[in-house]
Amino acid sequence: MDLKYLLIMRRDTNDRPYSWRYIHAALFVTGVTTFGFLDAFTAVLMMEKYGIGAEFNPLMRELFLTQGIAGFLAFKVVAAALILSVPFLLYKRERMNWTTAGFLSGFAVSGAVVAMDNYIFLMSGQVGIEPGIVVVLFLVMMVGAIQLGDVMDSPLEKMFKISDEKWERMKLEMGYPG
């Protein structure tokens, strides 16, 4: 049996390629690793070196003070896993392959960017990208990914269907014979 057949041609009960399951699972693990663990781990190192004020989020600062390193790391990883589990519920319910993949990708990429920004600050003491800019870029990326995913998931017939009334009006405007 060909690997391509196993990953792409074989379909699940909702008539989706099995490869979407693997893609979503990989993006989920990557998102939890980058957005949850790596961001939290580099934030802990930053706060230990530069003090609690190095963390941008006041809720996370308070969590670090009250729960310590283990509580902070556990909270970030569990919160990331809970947030990123939402696309799986949507994926099983509807045909939202591209939308959910875009959502998961946005978290994976932004988690990597934030972790790298934290690491740069940790090593040099200089902020690479301001945290407010990172938040705005994250929100823009999420809106763009969800919008693009929605377009990609929409059937072409639905996107380009013209009603009979509109077609008749267009024929009159173009001077199309009867």
Side-chain angles (χ1 to χ4, degrees), residues 6 8-10 15 27 38-39 44 47 50 59 64 69 82 91 115 124 131-132 135 164-165:
L6 287 174
I8 297 173
M9 298 308 204
R10 193 166 167 211
D15 196 37
L27 289 172
L38 288 177
D39 176 32
V44 164
M47 288 186 283
Y50 295 109
L59 174 67
F64 182 77
I69 294 172
L82 289 174
Y91 171 74
S124 68
V135 169
D164 291 335
E165 299 84 36

Side-chain angles (χ1 to χ4, degrees), residues 58-170:
L59 174 67
M60 293 297 120
R61 285 193 299 248
E62 186 65 28
L63 186 70
F64 182 77
L65 285 174
T66 58
Q67 302 301 316
I69 294 172
F72 180 80
L73 288 170
F75 177 81
K76 284 285 288 183
V77 171
V78 169
L82 289 174
I83 290 168
L84 296 178
S85 65
V86 170
F88 287 113
L89 299 173
L90 294 174
Y91 171 74
K92 289 184 177 201
R93 187 169 168 239
E94 297 179 24
R95 288 195 54 104
M96 298 181 74
N97 300 329
W98 290 101
T99 305
T100 54
F103 182 83
L104 292 168
S105 298
F107 274 90
V109 169
S110 65
V113 168
V114 169
M116 286 188 288
D117 195 37
N118 289 349
Y119 185 75
I120 289 168
F121 181 68
L122 179 67
M123 291 296 129
S124 68
Q126 307 249 347
V127 176
I129 305 171
E130 288 294 325
I133 294 173
V134 172
V135 169
V136 170
L137 289 174
F138 168 73
L139 293 174
V140 168
M141 184 172 32
M142 292 308 297
V143 168
I146 291 171
Q147 290 296 320
L148 181 62
D150 188 43
V151 168
M152 295 292 289
D153 286 332
S154 296
L156 289 177
E157 305 87 43
K158 182 181 172 188
M159 288 174 45
F160 297 109
K161 185 163 179 141
I162 299 173
S163 66
D164 291 335
E165 299 84 36
K166 189 171 182 179
W167 175 242
E168 291 300 322
R169 192 175 17 170
M170 286 175 62

